[in-house]
Amino acid sequence: LSGFPVVTFPVLLLMQARHGNASVIGMVKAYPFGLTALVVYTLCVAVVFPRLGMGWGTAAGLLASLVWMSALTTLRARIVRRS
């Protein structure tokens, strides 16, 4: 799981070189928002792996992180509309 945060810096460098600063700024702004899904996935996997095994545990973790991101995106959109 350390691959996700570790790979981000080289990806940012490549994006900046190919697409400029605007794309990097957009990704950096969204990074903390998306990182919460990794935390949800990790917590879910820690609880579910012993019960369901690696295959179904991974699926459950991915589903939990997708539900989390959907809920956060919906909440964020509602807050922006109210502003």
Side-chain angles (χ1 to χ4, degrees), residues 56-81:
W56 287 111
T58 299
L62 289 173
L63 180 63
S65 65
L66 285 171
V67 168
W68 174 257
M69 287 304 293
S70 296
L72 276 181
T73 302
T74 302
L75 180 63
R76 191 181 212 185
R78 287 182 183 174
I79 290 171
V80 168
R81 272 185 272 163

Side-chain angles (χ1 to χ4, degrees), residues 14-75:
L14 292 170
M15 284 181 62
Q16 197 277 333
R18 292 200 84 152
H19 303 288
N21 292 337
S23 62
V24 173
I25 291 169
M27 187 171 169
V28 169
K29 283 183 180 178
Y31 187 76
F33 184 73
L35 193 57
T36 60
L38 180 63
V39 172
V40 169
Y41 172 80
T42 304
L43 291 173
C44 183
V45 161
V47 172
V48 174
F49 260 38
R51 295 183 183 132
L52 300 179
M54 189 171 24
W56 287 111
T58 299
L62 289 173
L63 180 63
S65 65
L66 285 171
V67 168
W68 174 257
M69 287 304 293
S70 296
L72 276 181
T73 302
T74 302
L75 180 63

